[in-house]
Amino acid sequence: MSSIQIEPIKQPLRGHVVLPLSKSISNRQLVLGAHTYQPFEVIGVSEAQDTRYLIEALRQCGYSVEDTGGVFRFLPPQNFPPFLNLFLGEGGTTLRFLLPWLVRYPGKVKVEVAPSLQKRPLLPLLASLQKAGAIIHSTAALFPLEIEGNPDWRPKTLEIDSTLSSQFISALLLSAPGLEVGTCIVEKGLFSATPSYRQITIALLAQQGYLWEQQGNQWILQSKGTPPHTFQGEADWSASSFFWGWAALGRFEGTLTLSSHTLQPEKNLFPMLPLPYTYSWESPTLLYLRSLPYPISPLDADLTDYPDAFPALSVVAAFAEGISHLRGTQTLPHKETNRLEAIKAELSKLGAKVSHQGNTLLIYPASHLPSPPLTFQSYGDHRMAMALSLVAARLPFSFSIQTPECVRKSFPQYWQLLENLRNS
């Protein structure tokens, strides 16, 4: 098993951080463009592994992809291949977002995924599509999926339970170009897993003229945009969580390529937390962030709308001066790994105690630091691996993190960037 050795970081990391483009935004843009069956452009596409799988899937479907200096032009073929075998890797977003498009594909499609993705929730979306007339065959093990595409698939009503993942309803909302005005999506279940991510989808669609109006638990398509579309990528606020974490732990001073005008929810989280850092906007796309020499107060925050911030903030909480309460944990068991259990297991190696009460994670700070040697498991989860690197801000000895290459899923340059900042 591969591992990376992390040396103690005794002085603040200094420099300029070029954050990766958001795979969440890129994947929505790519799938929305594909639903139009017209040429479209994306100015700045994420290099994340999930997005690469999505682009490769479009290529296999016959799209030509032209990259001219960061401007990606996607051109649909005159004739789509009648039979496809798609491998979508570990990308939950890629799989879920593509499914409603594949049921309209003019041909038959076989879909396979990596073993880790087979364990993540999908059945509510499959059931929704099948109830609306989509022809999707699966085995007892679920995969491979076999889809008989129908270009005339235009259901008037779709029902979806998005309790396990907001990506389920986002996948249906993104299919707006192929639906008729007046189509209704009924959101069932007790709650939507991450309402802020659903709102990203709705806002992105509205920018292109696809307007969904909420009426209680229903979403009604009120109008449709006119292709061709041009999309603009954005720096990833989720990826910035680790640098807010370095700053909170007293180990960062520099600038981040972030947009102050963004759909991403984390913009409303990190600047508002009572953590020992200060920030200012040097321009609409450049944020200055600096540690402050104060202790870390216990955190009390509802992260329902910010589930990707849990790993980094959990590590920060392990070094706070009291018990932290992080609420909104309901989606953590359904990520790349069960992050709830992973956080408990790895923070216990630091001497921190973690308990779970309802939807609240209680983190009791480390009473004493461990002794070497120390090895953390990433569980193949990109956000766990990067979050655990933050421990280097407080440990006086080196430690290792297993399977560090998993950061390719969202932040391929993370380890190299960390080394560059250390040496600045």
Side-chain angles (χ1 to χ4, degrees), residues 12 14 246-253 274-278 288-297 321 394:
R14 288 188 170 88
W246 285 115
L249 292 165
R251 293 295 187 269
F252 186 78
E253 180 177 2
L275 289 170
Y277 47 58
T278 185
Y288 172 73
L289 177 63
R290 177 172 62 88
S291 300
L292 295 175
Y294 305 130
I296 300 171
S297 299
E321 293 202 327
R394 294 299 174 94

Side-chain angles (χ1 to χ4, degrees), residues 124-188:
L125 181 57
L126 280 182
S128 172
L129 295 171
Q130 290 169 329
K131 184 176 180 180
I135 302 176
I136 306 173
H137 306 288
S138 60
T139 65
L142 196 59
F143 290 94
L145 298 176
E146 294 186 353
I147 302 166
E148 297 182 31
N150 176 10
D152 296 323
W153 183 77
R154 289 179 178 81
K156 300 289 186 179
T157 302
L158 290 149
E159 296 182 353
I160 187 65
D161 184 340
S162 53
T163 303
L164 294 178
S165 174
S166 65
Q167 290 178 357
F168 297 158
I169 188 168
S170 282
L172 300 181
L173 292 165
L174 286 167
S175 63
L179 301 174
E180 296 179 359
V181 171
T183 299
C184 175
I185 298 176
V186 181
E187 193 168 10
K188 303 174 68 177

Side-chain angles (χ1 to χ4, degrees), residues 23-46:
K23 70 182 180 72
S24 180
I25 296 293
S26 284
N27 289 355
R28 283 168 169 80
Q29 293 169 339
L30 292 169
V31 171
L32 177 56
H35 271 294
T36 69
Y37 282 89
Q38 299 292 320
F40 64 95
E41 286 185 347
V42 185
I43 303 170
V45 173
S46 170

